[in-house]
C-alpha cells in the first residue's frame, strides 16, 4: 500500500515538473493553471497524509518555513566576472577588430544576447538537485540565497534529462518582469509597504529577504546565460550549444539569444533588440556579444576582471535622477487637470526631458511628490516621461505637501471632482480657453479632420489672438486674418486655407470622432456612423437606443446624449455643416462582408501595402477589433517585415499568423 502511495506521489511530482518545464521554459503549456493547481493539491494532500514521503525537491517544498538570521558567505570557485562595455558603433568595430587580430581570423561568430537588467546569481546543482545558490557579491564571495532562489518557480529543483554532471553550476540573471513589478508596487502601496523605484531594485530587494516566504510572494524569473563549475567534460564546441543544453535541462534561457556574424551582425542585433526593448516584459540595459567558439574563447582569455571574448553594448539609460523645480497643472481637452513636474533638464533614454506627468492628485499623494524633491524619472519609448519615485533622503527641510489648485489656472472656474473619478476637472468646457484650444487641436488632428498645417502651436496662437473660438470658426477664416499672424506669410496662409478647404470632404466617422465627445474614440465613431448613418439620427438617439449598438456601454451612451443636449455643441455642428463640410454616403458593411466580425487582430512589423492607420481602418470595417498586444484572446496576428516579439509570442501561443496579402484579399 505504502509503496503504491509512494509511486503515486513520485508520478505526480514528475507530472508537475514536466508541466512547469512546458510553462516556464518552452512557453507552451499543455494544461490550464487550474488543472496544474489540482495536481499540485493532490500531491500536497498525499504528502500531508504521508509525511514520510516528503522530499526536499518536491514542487510543494519550495518555501522553507524558517526565516534566516542572516546570509552566510559563499566563495565562488570560479570568480563571477563582469563585462567590458562599448557605447558606439566605432567602439564595437574596434572590439571586433581587436579580437580578429588576436585570433588571426577574418570573421568572428558571436552569440548575441539581451543584457538583462537584474541580478547575477550562481546556482549549483549536485547530481541534478538544486544544492546552493549565491549572489555575485564582489565576484569572489557572494551570499547564500539558496532558500530564496528555491521559491522561484521557473528554476527547477531537479534537472531533466539523463546525462547530468555530478556538479553543475549555472549562472544567470534574476529579474522581476515589468508587469509583476507594477502589480507588486500597487499592492505594496495599498498595504503601506515599501515600493521600489524599478524592477531591478525590486529583484534585488526580493533576493535579500531573510524570510523566503516573503520572496515567494515576489514575481521573480530567471534566465541562464553561462556555466560555472562543471564536474565532467562536456563536449560542446560553441556557447550557443551550451545554452541549448542548459535549456534542455529545464532551465529557462532567453529566447532572443542568437548567433550573428561579425561586427555588422552585432550592430543589426543591437538595432533589432533596441526596437523590441519597450515591448519586452523585462528591463534590459543593452545587449551582450560573446565569441561563440569555445576554443577561441579560451585562446582569447581574460583581462583583469572581465573576459576579452565578450562585451556589453549599452542602450541609453531609461531612468535618471533629477530635481523637480516646480509642479504645474495642465488643462486637458475634457477639462481634466493634470499635474506636471517641471524638471531640471536631464537626459533619459537619449532624449532631454524637462517635464514629467504626475497623472493626478491621488498619484501625487501616493508617491508624496513635492516641489524641490529629487526623483527618479523614467521614459520608455514614446511614452510620456514619468516620475517613478522620490528620493526621500534628499528632500529639502522646508518642503511642503503639494496642494492642487481649487480654481482652473486658465479660466478661473472652480474645479470639480466627480465621485469615483481620480481627476479634478474644470467644468467650464468650451468657455475655458485651455479646453477650447485642445478641442480645436483634436478637431484638426490627423485622425480627425486632418487639416494639414494646422498644428498645435498655430491653434494656440489663433485662439490667443481671438481668431477662432470654436472648431467651426476655422472654416470662416479669411486670408488676411491668417497672414497677419506671427511667423505666417502670404504663401503659408494660402496653403493653410487650401488645406482647410480640402478637409471639408471627410467621412461621417471622422467627423463624429473630430467632435471630441468624451469616450468616443475612432472605433466608437465608426460604429456610430455605420449604424446611425447621419448626424441627425445620432443627435436624437437616446441612451437606451445607443446602448443597443455594438460595444457601446452605458457610460459612452450617457456622454453622447449629454454632448448633444448642449445647445452650443449643436450650434457649432450647424455652423460646420453650413460651412460646407460633407461626406460620402457611408458604406455600411453588409453583415456577410463582416468577415472578421468578433475577431481580435494584432498588427505587427512593417507593412508595405498599407499604413498602420489604413490597415486598422480596413480591419475595423471588416468587423474586427484591433488590439495592441498579443494574448490568448487574439485570433490573428498580421505580421509585416521585421516583426518582433509580438510575432514570437503569437507563435508560442499557437495563434494564426497572417500576412498583408491575406488582408488585401479580404
Ligand atoms: S555574461 C563573464 N550574459 O551583466 C561574463 N551577463 O556586466 C559574465 N548580464 O554580471 C556575464 N545579461 O549580471 C552575461 N546575457 C548576459 C547577461 C549578463 C545580463 C549581466 C550579469 C553580469 C553583468 C556584466
Amino acid at each position: 500500500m505504502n509503496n503504491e502511495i509512494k509511486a503515486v506521489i513520485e508520478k505526480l511530482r514528475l507530472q508537475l515538473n514536466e508541466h512547469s518545464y512546458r510553462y516556464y521554459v518552452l512557453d507552451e503549456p499543455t494544461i490550464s493553471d487550474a488543472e496544474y493547481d489540482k495536481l499540485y493539491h493532490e500531491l500536497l494532500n498525499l504528502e500531508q497524509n504521508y509525511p514520510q514521503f516528503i522530499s526536499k525537491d518536491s514542487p510543494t517544498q519550495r518555501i522553507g518555513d524558517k526565516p534566516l538570521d542572516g546570509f552566510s558567505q559563499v566563495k565562488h570557485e570560479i570568480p563571477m566576472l563582469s563585462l567590458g562595455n562599448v557605447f558606439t558603433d566605432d567602439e564595437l568595430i574596434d572590439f571586433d577588430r581587436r579580437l580578429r587580430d588576436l585570433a588571426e581570423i577574418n570573421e568572428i561568430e558571436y552569440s548575441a544576447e539581451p543584457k538583462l537588467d537584474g541580478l547575477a546569481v550562481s546556482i549549483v546543482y549536485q547530481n541534478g538537485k538544486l544544492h546552493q545558490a549565491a549572489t555575485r557579491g564582489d565576484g569572489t564571495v557572494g551570499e547564500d540565497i539558496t532558500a530564496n532562489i528555491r521559491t522561484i518557480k521557473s528554476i527547477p529543483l531537479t534537472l531533466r534529462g539523463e546525462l547530468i554532471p555530478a556538479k553543475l553550476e549555472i549562472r544567470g540573471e534574476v529579474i522581476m518582469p515589468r508587469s509583476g513589478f507594477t502589480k507588486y508596487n500597487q499592492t505594496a502601496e495599498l498595504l503601506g509597504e515599501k515600493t521600489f523605484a524599478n524592477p531591478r531594485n525590486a529583484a534585488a530587494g526580493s533576493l535579500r529577504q531573510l524570510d523566503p516566504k516573503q520572496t515567494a510572494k515576489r514575481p521573480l524569473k530567471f534566465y541562464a546565460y553561462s556555466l560555472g563549475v562543471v564536474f565532467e567534460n562536456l563536449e560542446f564546441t560553441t556557447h550557443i550549444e551550451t545554452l541549448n543544453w542548459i535549456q534542455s535541462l529545464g532551465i529557462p534561457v532567453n529566447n532572443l539569444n542568437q548567433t550573428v556574424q561579425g561586427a555588422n551582425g552585432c550592430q543589426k542585433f543591437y538595432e533589432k533588440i533596441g526596437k523590441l526593448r519597450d515591448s519586452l516584459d523585462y528591463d534590459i540595459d543593452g545587449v551582450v556579444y560573446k565569441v561563440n567558439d569555445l576554443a577561441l574563447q579560451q585562446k582569447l582569455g581574460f583581462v583583469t576582471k572581465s573576459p576579452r571574448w565578450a562585451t556589453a553594448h549599452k542602450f541609453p539609460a531609461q531612468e535618471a535622477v533629477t530635481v523637480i523645480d516646480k509642479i504645474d497643472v495642465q488643462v486637458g481637452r475634457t477639462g481634466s487637470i493634470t499635474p506636471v513636474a517641471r524638471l531640471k533638464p536631464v537626459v533619459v533614454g537619449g532624449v532631454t526631458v524637462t517635464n514629467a506627468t504626475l497623472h493626478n492628485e491621488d498619484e501625487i499623494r501616493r508617491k508624496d511628490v513635492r516641489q524641490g524633491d529629487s526623483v527618479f524619472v523614467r521614459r520608455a519609448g514614446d511614452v510620456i516621461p514619468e516620475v517613478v519615485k522620490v528620493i526621500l533622503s534628499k528632500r529639502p527641510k522646508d518642503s511642503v505637501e503639494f496642494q492642487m489648485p481649487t480654481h482652473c489656472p486658465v479660466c478661473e472656474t472652480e474645479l470639480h471632482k466627480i465621485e469615483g473619478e481620480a481627476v479634478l476637472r474644470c467644468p467650464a468646457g468650451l468657455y475655458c480657453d485651455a479646453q477650447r484650444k485642445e478641442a480645436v487641436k483634436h478637431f484638426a488632428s490627423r485622425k480627425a479632420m486632418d487639416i494639414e498645417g494646422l498644428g498645435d502651436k498655430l491653434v494656440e496662437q489663433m485662439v490667443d489672438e481671438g481668431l477662432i473660438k470654436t472648431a467651426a470658426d476655422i472654416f470662416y477664416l479669411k486670408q488676411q486674418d491668417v497672414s497677419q499672424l506671427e511667423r505666417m506669410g502670404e504663401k503659408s496662409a494660402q496653403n493653410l486655407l487650401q488645406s482647410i478647404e480640402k478637409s471639408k470632404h471627410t467621412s461621417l466617422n471622422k467627423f463624429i470622432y473630430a467632435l471630441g465627445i468624451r469616450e468616443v474614440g475612432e472605433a466608437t465613431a465608426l460604429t456610430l456612423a455605420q449604424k446611425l448613418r447621419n448626424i441627425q439620427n445620432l443627435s436624437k438617439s437616446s441612451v437606451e437606443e445607443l446602448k443597443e449598438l455594438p460595444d457601446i456601454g452605458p457610460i459612452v451612451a450617457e456622454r453622447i446624449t449629454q454632448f448633444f443636449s448642449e445647445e452650443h455643441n449643436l450650434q457649432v455642428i450647424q455652423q460646420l455643416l453650413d460651412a460646407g463640410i460633407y461626406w460620402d454616403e457611408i458604406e455600411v458593411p453588409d453583415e456577410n462582408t463582416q468577415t472578421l466580425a468578433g475577431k481580435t487582430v494584432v498588427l505587427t512589423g512593417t507593412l508595405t501595402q498599407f499604413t498602420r492607420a489604413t490597415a486598422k481602418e480596413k480591419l475595423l470595417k471588416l468587423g474586427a477589433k484591433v488590439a495592441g498586444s498579443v494574448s490568448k484572446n487574439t485570433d490573428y496576428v498580421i505580421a509585416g517585415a521585421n516583426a518582433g516579439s509580438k510575432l514570437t509570442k503569437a507563435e508560442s501561443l499557437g495563434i494564426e499568423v497572417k500576412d498583408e496579402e491575406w488582408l488585401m484579399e479580404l
Side-chain angles (χ1 to χ4, degrees):
M1 171 65 184
N2 266 358
N3 274 344
E4 274 166 41
I5 304 262
K6 189 165 178 236
V8 174
I9 285 182
E10 274 163 9
K11 185 162 166 236
L12 279 169
R13 284 180 192 153
L14 277 177
Q15 278 180 312
L16 286 164
N17 286 341
E18 179 67 24
H19 289 303
S20 290
Y21 169 68
R22 287 176 174 280
Y23 185 85
Y24 291 109
V25 181
L26 302 182
D27 205 6
E28 272 167 11
T30 46
I31 60 169
S32 67
D33 292 0
E35 285 168 301
Y36 182 93
D37 286 346
K38 195 164 159 256
L39 289 176
Y40 182 92
H41 281 102
E42 247 171 73
L43 175 61
L44 198 62
N45 248 328
L46 282 174
E47 286 177 340
Q48 269 160 2
N49 292 330
Y50 301 90
Q52 67 270 35
F53 297 136
I54 292 181
S55 86
K56 219 180 155 226
D57 59 8
S58 171
T60 58
Q61 304 299 306
R62 285 191 173 269
I63 311 174
D65 42 16
K66 283 193 291 294
L68 308 172
D69 297 326
F71 296 113
S72 52
Q73 296 201 323
V74 176
K75 186 164 163 37
H76 299 298
E77 280 179 50
I78 303 177
M80 290 183 79
L81 302 177
S82 61
L83 290 169
N85 285 320
V86 298
F87 289 93
T88 63
D89 288 0
D90 285 347
E91 288 174 1
L92 167 61
I93 291 168
D94 280 349
F95 163 79
D96 176 62
R97 182 179 312 115
R98 207 162 49 240
L99 297 196
R100 281 189 292 121
D101 288 350
L102 285 169
E104 298 176 331
I105 49 172
N106 286 331
E107 187 172 74
I108 293 180
E109 179 173 82
Y110 294 96
S111 168
E113 309 170 6
K115 187 169 187 298
L116 308 169
D117 199 6
L119 250 80
V121 299
S122 140
I123 306 173
V124 175
Y125 286 88
Q126 274 185 351
N127 301 316
K129 306 279 178 208
L130 196 157
H131 172 67
Q132 186 176 59
T135 59
R136 175 170 179 273
D138 62 4
T140 313
V141 178
E143 285 179 323
D144 186 336
I145 50 163
T146 314
N148 288 341
I149 287 294
R150 286 177 60 92
T151 68
I152 302 178
K153 294 208 190 75
S154 58
I155 299 177
L157 299 176
T158 309
L159 295 177
R160 298 167 58 84
E162 250 89 279
L163 299 165
I164 292 170
K167 178 166 180 176
L168 175 67
E169 180 188 0
I170 302 286
R171 292 176 175 183
E173 200 86 349
V174 169
I175 53 129
M176 186 179 285
R178 287 178 182 163
S179 50
F181 165 74
T182 312
K183 253 191 244 152
Y184 179 79
N185 261 0
Q186 281 167 353
T187 317
E189 250 159 22
L190 280 177
L191 299 173
E193 289 170 4
K194 180 178 155 68
T195 60
F196 292 100
N198 55 44
R200 198 194 114 83
N201 289 1
S206 305
L207 288 183
R208 244 183 261 119
Q209 288 290 328
L210 287 169
D211 183 358
K213 281 202 187 71
Q214 294 305 318
T215 311
K217 290 186 200 155
R218 314 286 175 92
L220 300 174
K221 273 195 173 179
F222 176 78
Y223 290 105
Y225 51 65
S226 74
L227 292 177
V229 179
V230 187
F231 280 6
E232 221 126 345
N233 271 338
L234 299 172
E235 299 195 339
F236 303 120
T237 58
T238 65
H239 175 71
I240 284 280
E241 271 171 22
T242 321
L243 292 183
N244 289 340
W245 175 67
I246 294 177
Q247 178 157 22
S248 77
L249 300 175
I251 298 172
V253 171
N254 196 284
N255 64 358
L256 295 170
N257 298 347
Q258 68 172 90
T259 54
V260 299
Q261 309 302 322
N264 194 18
C266 291
Q267 183 59 35
K268 287 217 180 85
F269 182 78
Y270 179 79
E271 281 163 18
K272 174 178 125 176
I273 301 297
K275 285 199 192 115
L276 282 182
R277 188 181 188 191
D278 295 327
S279 65
L280 299 175
D281 192 29
Y282 45 82
D283 278 2
I284 57 176
D285 55 349
V287 296
V288 183
Y289 313 123
K290 302 170 185 170
V291 168
N292 194 28
D293 182 339
L294 296 177
L296 184 52
Q297 282 190 3
Q298 277 239 305
K299 187 169 164 194
L300 290 166
F302 298 85
V303 283
T304 337
K305 280 236 183 286
S306 51
R308 195 175 272 122
W309 44 263
T311 196
H313 193 172
K314 289 292 197 72
F315 290 135
Q318 282 177 321
E319 225 171 65
V321 171
T322 188
V323 173
I324 299 182
D325 281 334
K326 189 163 179 282
I327 299 176
D328 274 341
V329 296
Q330 273 175 355
V331 188
R333 174 162 65 84
T334 56
S336 55
I337 302 289
T338 312
V340 186
R342 308 288 178 205
L343 308 168
K344 287 222 179 342
V346 61
V347 178
V348 194
V351 170
T352 303
V353 169
T354 50
N355 299 312
T357 177
L358 294 167
H359 300 287
N360 55 50
E361 187 173 8
D362 291 354
E363 187 90 355
I364 294 195
R365 290 285 162 265
R366 271 195 299 150
K367 293 183 178 161
D368 187 17
V369 183
R370 305 181 183 186
Q371 294 188 155
D373 271 343
S374 292
V375 289
F376 282 97
V377 178
R378 188 180 168 94
R379 177 185 162 271
D382 300 330
V383 183
I384 308 168
E386 228 184 341
V387 168
V388 204
K389 194 173 166 66
V390 174
I391 307 174
L392 285 176
S393 59
K394 291 199 186 167
R395 172 166 282 171
K397 289 216 171 52
D398 55 357
S399 122
V400 284
E401 249 189 36
F402 176 75
Q403 296 301 333
M404 288 292 273
T406 51
H407 291 77
C408 175
V410 176
C411 71
E412 290 169 11
T413 306
E414 191 175 349
L415 300 176
H416 281 192
K417 190 157 188 173
I418 295 169
E419 240 187 65
E421 276 195 359
V423 292
L424 211 53
R425 280 180 197 280
C426 165
L430 294 175
Y431 297 103
C432 169
D433 265 0
Q435 291 173 64
R436 214 189 268 292
K437 285 177 185 170
E438 295 309 312
V440 179
K441 286 179 197 171
H442 170 80
F443 183 84
S445 65
R446 206 167 40 82
K447 291 178 189 162
M449 296 297 285
D450 194 13
I451 308 179
E452 225 185 291
L454 188 53
D456 291 0
K457 284 270 159 340
L458 190 53
V459 170
E460 287 181 15
Q461 218 181 335
M462 287 182 171
V463 175
D464 286 340
E465 298 281 319
L467 279 188
I468 51 179
K469 286 196 156 47
T470 69
D473 296 340
I474 297 174
F475 297 93
Y476 297 90
L477 284 168
K478 303 263 177 313
Q479 170 131 4
Q480 64 266 31
D481 297 337
V482 180
S483 58
Q484 84 200 2
L485 287 170
E486 222 177 299
R487 285 189 302 272
M488 259 287 171
E490 284 293 321
K491 187 69 196 151
S492 5
Q494 210 175 339
N495 287 344
L496 179 64
L497 288 184
Q498 258 166 23
S499 55
I500 291 175
E501 191 57 35
K502 198 173 128 212
S503 74
K504 287 183 181 170
H505 183 185
T506 182
S507 58
L508 178 57
N509 49 310
K510 286 194 167 178
F511 183 75
I512 296 174
Y513 173 68
L515 293 176
I517 306 167
R518 268 178 76 191
E519 311 288 344
V520 176
E522 283 175 284
T524 309
L526 184 64
T527 307
L528 294 171
Q530 285 174 342
K531 298 289 173 192
L532 301 172
R533 317 290 295 264
N534 59 50
I535 286 287
Q536 286 69 31
N537 286 346
L538 173 60
S539 62
K540 296 206 180 77
S541 294
S542 66
V543 170
E544 294 314 314
E545 286 162 340
L546 290 166
K547 280 200 307 198
E548 295 291 304
L549 303 178
D551 289 331
I552 294 187
I555 295 180
V556 185
E558 190 68 52
R559 298 273 193 250
I560 296 170
T561 49
Q562 200 183 332
F563 180 88
F564 288 103
S565 72
E566 289 185 34
E567 191 53 39
H568 65 98
N569 287 336
L570 297 175
Q571 261 170 27
V572 171
I573 292 173
Q574 194 53 52
Q575 285 165 3
L576 286 166
L577 297 177
D578 291 345
I581 288 178
Y582 69 106
W583 46 82
D584 306 322
E585 181 80 1
I586 180 124
E587 278 173 49
V588 176
D590 168 347
E591 297 289 304
N592 304 323
T593 66
Q594 288 228 309
T595 346
L596 296 179
K599 300 285 183 203
T600 302
V601 182
V602 174
L603 288 162
T604 182
T606 319
L607 306 178
T608 52
Q609 320 272 352
F610 309 96
T611 62
R612 269 289 165 100
T614 30
K616 189 171 165 191
E617 200 175 313
K618 295 249 180 303
L619 287 166
L620 292 175
K621 282 201 177 133
L622 289 165
K625 268 200 198 137
V626 182
S629 59
V630 178
S631 73
K632 282 193 303 242
N633 303 327
T634 311
D635 294 293
Y636 302 107
V637 168
I638 301 183
N642 300 321
S645 65
K646 288 185 191 167
L647 177 57
T648 325
K649 181 147 186 211
E651 281 164 349
S652 72
L653 290 175
I655 289 161
E656 264 191 79
V657 177
K658 302 288 189 188
D659 57 13
E660 267 180 278
E661 294 302 316
W662 177 75
L663 181 56
M664 298 270 280
E665 276 165 27
L666 288 179

